[in-house]
Amino acid sequence: MTEIAQTVETMVQGSLSEVTRQCGDPSCACATDPARRHGPHLYLKFNAGGKPYSVYVPPEQGEPERPDGLRLHAFAQFTGADSMKKGQS
């Protein structure tokens, strides 16, 4: 229980997004073919101090479990956030 409490104190509310990007090199295939864009790359998106942030998440630190949101759903159930989201208390 102590480990969970410590984890909660350092958590950030946000979302994980997979993004594909165009590199900017006009000779690269991604410049003319959207299917050949680079990625997908994982980003953590959140707000802090009223400003939006997007932070790259290296593959070795990404969430390995699928389907997406499995860990988040388990945490939300544990903390009661899942029931709050549905308008229950």
Side-chain angles (χ1 to χ4, degrees):
M1 194 68 132
T2 303
E3 182 180 337
I4 292 172
Q6 291 171 344
T7 301
V8 169
E9 290 178 11
T10 61
M11 291 184 78
V12 174
Q13 182 178 359
S15 62
L16 287 173
S17 301
E18 285 186 336
V19 178
T20 57
R21 298 209 180 253
Q22 195 172 346
C23 69
D25 179 355
S27 66
C28 184
C30 72
T32 57
D33 185 1
R36 298 196 54 196
R37 289 188 176 173
H38 303 280
H41 302 289
L42 194 61
Y43 284 84
L44 171 63
K45 297 182 179 191
F46 64 96
N47 288 317
K51 296 171 100 178
Y53 291 90
S54 182
V55 179
Y56 174 71
V57 179
E60 62 273 7
Q61 294 189 6
E63 197 171 354
E65 267 107 46
R66 298 287 185 220
D68 289 332
L70 184 60
R71 287 183 183 176
L72 180 61
H73 180 69
F75 177 78
Q77 284 185 322
F78 177 78
T79 61
D82 205 31
S83 62
M84 289 171 38
K85 187 169 77 172
K86 295 176 184 169
Q88 303 167 354
S89 51

